[in-house]
């Protein structure tokens, strides 16, 4: 079965650089969620999209932005990177009304040096 | 997350049962979940329970829900070394724009021979 695909798997950036993370949801899933997991931390909700519109916003810094495209894939853009942005970034997708159907991708590990 | 609490660490012997506990605060939670995360890996959905249920069993996994006390537990029977991982409970918070998962702090399960 198709899963949530995230790219890249690993990314190393320098401080003040920009990074773009991509997420390809499971086909026919209409909702995408982004989470950030720092070392030894639980995943923290960043932002979600339903049918290409932002549906909820969590603890996402102003330096970050995200969007969902017409093919339902989503991109998380991170600018002016800081050392503290080093984390695992997960994307999940679901069919909005099926609350038991959240599937997570394998994550992108971002390291800021 | 601050609203969902778990004990940080649990150590059991192979073959014993493991019980991982979680307390949550949002009484309007409709679905509660258990996720497993192995080192450096993504979040794997193990099981979920709807809030009008008291118990759900799925092979070696048993979920108990005490809605009055807002207490959720995951019992793993015949625990194996492959069960060593971090286990997160999560609840759905119904927000104005959609549904988002809020994770607990995670419990690291260590299975010893």
């Amino acid at each position: 079965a198709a899963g949530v695909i995230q790219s890249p798997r690993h990314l190393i950036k320098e401080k003040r650089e920009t990074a773009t993370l991509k997420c390809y949801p499971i086909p026919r899933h209409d909702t995408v969620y982004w989470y950030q997991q720092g070392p030894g931390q639980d995943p923290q909700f960043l932002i979600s999209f339903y049918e290409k519109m932002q549906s909820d916003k969590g603890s996402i810094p102003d330096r970050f932005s995200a969007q969902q495209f017409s093919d339902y894939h989503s991109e998380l853009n991170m600018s002016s990177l800081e050392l503290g942005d080093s984390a695992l970034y997960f994307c999940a997708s679901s069919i909005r009304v099926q609350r038991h159907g959240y599937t997570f991708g394998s994550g992108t590990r971002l390291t800021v040096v | 997350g601050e609203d969902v609490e778990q004990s940080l660490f649990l150590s059991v012997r192979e073959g014993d049962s493991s019980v991982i506990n979680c307390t949550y605060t949002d009484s309007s939670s409709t679905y509660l979940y258990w996720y497993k995360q192995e080192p450096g890996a993504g979040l794997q959905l193990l099981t979920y329970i709807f809030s009008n249920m008291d118990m759900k069993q799925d092979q070696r996994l048993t979920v108990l829900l005490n809605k009055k006390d807002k207490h959720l537990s995951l019992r793993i029977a015949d625990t194996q070394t492959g069960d060593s991982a971090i286990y997160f409970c999560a609840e759905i918070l119904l927000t104005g724009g959609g549904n988002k998962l809020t994770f607990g702090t995670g419990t690291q399960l260590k299975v010893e021979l």
Side-chain angles (χ1 to χ4, degrees):
Chain A
V4 176
I5 307 297
Q6 289 187 247
S7 68
R9 288 297 306 275
H10 302 274
L11 189 59
I12 300 174
K13 290 284 186 179
E14 293 187 357
K15 283 196 318 184
R16 293 180 288 279
E17 284 193 319
T18 298
T20 298
L21 309 186
K22 296 184 179 183
C23 170
Y24 296 85
I26 290 174
R28 293 186 297 280
H29 279 196
D30 53 22
T31 308
V32 167
Y33 311 81
W34 284 97
Y35 283 80
Q36 178 193 55
Q37 186 180 28
Q41 305 293 313
D42 55 287
Q44 294 292 315
F45 172 74
L46 292 177
I47 197 166
S48 63
F49 292 87
Y50 167 64
E51 285 292 344
K52 293 157 280 185
M53 298 286 289
Q54 181 182 310
S55 63
D56 199 3
K57 198 170 182 180
S59 50
I60 184 169
D62 292 340
R63 300 178 288 108
F64 295 5
S65 65
Q67 57 182 323
Q68 187 177 30
F69 295 86
S70 58
D71 63 352
Y72 291 92
H73 94 272
S74 178
E75 294 183 4
L76 177 65
N77 297 295
M78 309 157 70
S79 63
S80 302
L81 287 169
E82 302 173 357
L83 295 178
D85 296 328
S86 296
L88 260 174
Y89 290 83
F90 288 108
C91 171
S93 73
S94 73
I95 298 174
R96 183 183 175 91
V97 297
Q98 292 182 1
R99 296 184 188 133
H100 55 278
Y102 288 71
T103 302
F104 281 81
S106 299
T108 293
R109 182 174 293 279
L110 172 67
T111 303
V112 181
V113 298
Chain B
E2 57 190 32
D3 296 324
V4 186
E5 296 183 353
Q6 300 177 237
S7 51
L8 291 179
F9 191 77
L10 176 66
S11 179
V12 300
R13 283 191 178 179
E14 189 178 38
D16 287 351
S17 292
S18 308
V19 179
I20 302 171
N21 295 303
C22 169
T23 56
Y24 60 98
T25 57
D26 194 322
S27 59
S28 64
S29 296
T30 54
Y31 281 90
L32 294 137
Y33 305 79
W34 284 103
Y35 281 86
K36 176 183 179 183
Q37 186 176 34
E38 296 184 51
L43 294 156
Q44 176 194 354
L45 177 64
L46 289 177
T47 188
Y48 63 92
I49 188 167
F50 188 51
S51 59
N52 68 353
M53 298 168 65
D54 297 323
M55 187 183 85
K56 180 178 179 181
Q57 186 154 3
D58 185 0
Q59 298 181 335
R60 292 192 298 124
L61 305 178
T62 303
V63 179
L64 294 177
L65 175 61
N66 181 330
K67 200 172 181 184
K68 174 175 169 289
D69 294 338
K70 297 176 189 168
H71 182 263
L72 182 73
S73 69
L74 174 69
R75 178 176 180 270
I76 305 173
D78 187 25
T79 313
Q80 303 297 307
T81 54
D83 295 324
S84 292
I86 299 176
Y87 290 80
F88 291 97
C89 65
E91 62 175 345
I92 286 282
L93 295 183
L94 299 178
T95 61
N99 314 315
K100 67 174 186 180
L101 277 175
T102 294
F103 287 87
T105 47
T107 299
Q108 183 165 355
L109 173 65
K110 182 178 178 183
V111 181
E112 297 174 329
L113 296 173

